[in-house]
Amino acid sequence: MSNTPRDEGRTDVRAPELLTKQQAAEYLQVSLPTINNYLRRGLLRAYKLPGGRLVRIKREDLLALLEEMSR
C-alpha cells in the first residue's frame, strides 16, 4: 500500500457547485465585503435557498467573473 496522497498530481481540484458568500470570497481570494459589492453591482448572482435568508453562489458564476475580469 502506498503512502502517496490521493490527490497528488491532480490538477482539477474543484469547489462545490454552490458556495456560501464566505466560500466564494475564499475561492476568489477577496474579502467578504468585496463579494457583497459584486452582488450589489450585479457582477455576481446570489441564489436564495428555501426559507429566503440563506444565499448561495454558483461556482460557474465565479469562474465567469474571473474570466471577465482577466480580459
Side-chain angles (χ1 to χ4, degrees):
M1 188 166 189
S2 173
N3 289 334
T4 306
R6 292 170 57 120
D7 289 337
E8 183 177 271
R10 184 174 172 186
T11 58
D12 185 26
V13 177
R14 296 165 49 124
E17 291 300 315
L18 295 173
L19 295 93
T20 65
K21 290 193 287 184
Q22 182 62 45
Q23 289 170 324
E26 292 170 7
Y27 189 78
L28 295 181
Q29 298 179 345
V30 298
S31 68
L32 186 56
T34 298
I35 293 294
N36 289 326
N37 185 17
Y38 290 164
L39 292 168
R40 269 192 310 278
R41 293 173 48 201
L43 298 173
L44 277 177
R45 182 172 176 196
Y47 299 86
K48 289 190 177 185
L49 297 181
R53 288 184 47 107
L54 298 177
V55 298
R56 295 294 182 261
I57 299 167
K58 288 184 179 180
R59 180 176 52 86
E60 66 189 55
D61 292 344
L62 294 175
L63 294 173
L65 177 63
L66 280 176
E67 187 172 319
E68 183 65 32
M69 295 176 88
S70 68
R71 293 181 185 182

